[in-house]
Amino acid sequence: MNPSRSLLVIGLLVAHAASAAPDLIIANVRIVDVTQGVVTAPADVSIEHGRISAISPVADAERDVPRIEAAGAFLAPGYWDMHVHLNHPTLAERWALPLFLASGVVAVRDMAGDCLTPGCKNNIKFMRDLQRRIDTNVILGPRIVAISSAIVNGPRAAEPGDPAWATPATYEQGRALARRMKARGVDFIKPYDTLPRDAYFGMMDEARRLGLPVSGHIPHAVSTLEALAAGQRGIEHAKHPAVDCSRFSRTFRDVVASWTAGDSPRIYRSWADPARGDENLGSFYPLMLATFDASICQNVIAGMASSSSYYIPTLITRKFEAFGDDVDFLDDSRLRLVPASIRSAWQKDSANFQRRFQDPQEKRSYVDFYELAMRLVGQAHEAGVHMLVGTDSSDSYCFPGSGFHDELKELSRAGLSNQAILFAATAAAAQYMGQADRVGTVSVGKQAELVLLDANPLEDIANAARIRAVIRNGKVLDAKMLSDLEANVARFVAEPESQN
Ligand SMILES: [Zn+2]
């Protein structure tokens, strides 16, 4: 550093210490308290070095301090989408990340942040780099709060090119996998549907020893209560607990367990591949729905409520499965903001459901399952299960950003109060990540990760989408900047580059 430059730096520091002026005041704003479910009287919120330094009675403008005149608008903590897939280096940067911010999502957890196939670009190295570039404001995006392993399945689901250790079958192989994942530097392990029981329990034991969290699907050969006892921290998708609520669940688990262990070729249609010699047992949804048992269910939900694990229902994924054949549902104006490559994957998915749902009973079972899953989410909430908001963006019809607000509406339909939904969308996620002391509410001393809203989201959850500005990482994104983000995405979607 040359002498004149160092003098300048000292000068700035002295000036700052002398005045202790905030960098920004959000004036005359009502604060949304997501814990108590109330809004405060209008106040001035001062922000200094990206932190909330004071919340004080409304006062006249101080000279030289930049202000946002909120005129009684509402200030809430920024939103956390705890189940996303950023997937692709270009699409993350030019498509999903700006759309998240434009919808008030200031933090995301990536649920398949590593890739083990040789030559694969969307791996942990890319994700760490993306995380760093966001943190240093090189690119605009929500904070990436955690990056998962590649999904962990059993040998039945091995993809060509995947290393053998990545699809464990035995207890010891499960333990070895946890060590490998730790060495790759991921933040947590994500298990998937067809992981064999032995491998799952080996992985869980070793992950616990290593202090590596596990969050994801519960493998179908394992029950919800077993997964909770083994220490799984996050249960994704409103699927597994619903399956466990039936008298058929025991048979279902046994069938899947012996198929995943390689002992039997008999398996339900979701996984059956005749080319591999599987014997297709048909759909399990009708069996499960016909044998639903409220008393079994109560036990499952009580187990979830008494554990310290979190439930991330992603109800919009269940909704797509139920209505993936419905032209009205599929005709969504937001598709104009979806790159052709993603759109065609979504179309393939819906074509699949259109084929399947030519059997009306099959259609019925998916709609009923969606309704059941929603009912159980309401019951789980009432029982005190910790909940987070996740979308599974960019799975079919899980729109990055705006899909978050779709999920809030689903949770409202499930019976959660607006306060409970907002809490799950903000403070609960900060708690889950062990960051509640520095983010997740609008409080003095916390980082300013905020959304300024035109209307009170505690009155109507749809108001959570009425965003006037987003404040995060020391930057204010006003309404014009947020709409520019969307316009940039529209331009990108029109480019040939977005087709890949
Ligand atoms: Zn997912």
Side-chain angles (χ1 to χ4, degrees), residues 397-480:
Y397 283 76
C398 303
F399 295 90
S402 61
F404 187 84
H405 296 280
D406 294 342
E407 182 68 12
L408 300 187
K409 277 184 209 142
E410 293 293 299
L411 292 169
S412 180
R413 268 198 69 204
L416 274 72
S417 69
N418 295 338
Q419 179 273 328
I421 295 168
L422 290 168
F423 185 81
T426 58
Q431 278 169 4
Y432 177 86
M433 289 308 304
Q435 298 178 359
D437 56 335
R438 53 189 182 88
V439 272
T441 58
V442 186
S443 318
V444 173
K446 290 200 180 177
Q447 277 171 36
E449 283 189 351
L450 308 166
V451 287
L452 184 63
L453 304 172
D454 281 331
N456 184 356
L458 290 165
E459 271 170 16
D460 180 352
I461 202 63
N463 290 339
R466 295 181 59 186
I467 296 163
R468 194 186 289 184
V470 174
I471 297 122
R472 32 72 66 197
N473 214 5
K475 278 195 184 308
V476 178
L477 303 168
D478 61 20
K480 161 86 172 69

Side-chain angles (χ1 to χ4, degrees), residues 83 85 111 190 237 392:
H83 191 126
H85 297 273
M111 292 304 296
K190 180 180 183 183
H237 312 306
D392 220 352

Side-chain angles (χ1 to χ4, degrees), residues 83-85 111-112 190 192 217 236-237 314 317 392-393 395:
H83 191 126
V84 310
H85 297 273
M111 292 304 296
K190 180 180 183 183
Y192 214 72
H217 296 209
E236 315 292 322
H237 312 306
T314 69
T317 61
D392 220 352
S393 137
D395 244 29

Side-chain angles (χ1 to χ4, degrees), residues 272-350:
D273 178 0
R276 197 167 42 197
D278 291 336
E279 184 191 326
N280 188 343
L281 299 177
S283 175
F284 65 89
Y285 274 22
L287 293 166
M288 189 202 68
L289 288 158
T291 62
F292 175 81
D293 186 320
S295 64
I296 299 178
C297 207
Q298 218 157 31
N299 196 35
V300 174
I301 289 174
M304 290 167 77
S306 64
S307 80
S308 55
S309 297
Y310 283 67
Y311 191 29
I312 303 104
T314 69
L315 280 167
I316 58 172
T317 61
R318 297 287 72 76
K319 189 175 189 180
F320 169 74
E321 287 186 355
F323 298 102
D325 67 324
D326 184 319
V327 288
D328 289 335
F329 176 83
L330 296 172
D331 178 24
D332 193 307
S333 64
R334 292 173 293 178
L335 286 169
R336 73 183 176 84
L337 291 175
V338 178
S341 57
I342 300 277
R343 237 170 20 227
S344 81
W346 292 6
Q347 268 153 14
K348 234 187 254 166
D349 214 4
S350 51

Side-chain angles (χ1 to χ4, degrees), residues 83-104:
H83 191 126
V84 310
H85 297 273
L86 295 172
N87 295 93
H88 182 290
T90 312
L91 290 185
E93 203 170 318
R94 301 207 49 200
W95 177 54
L97 295 174
L99 289 179
F100 283 126
L101 274 188
S103 295

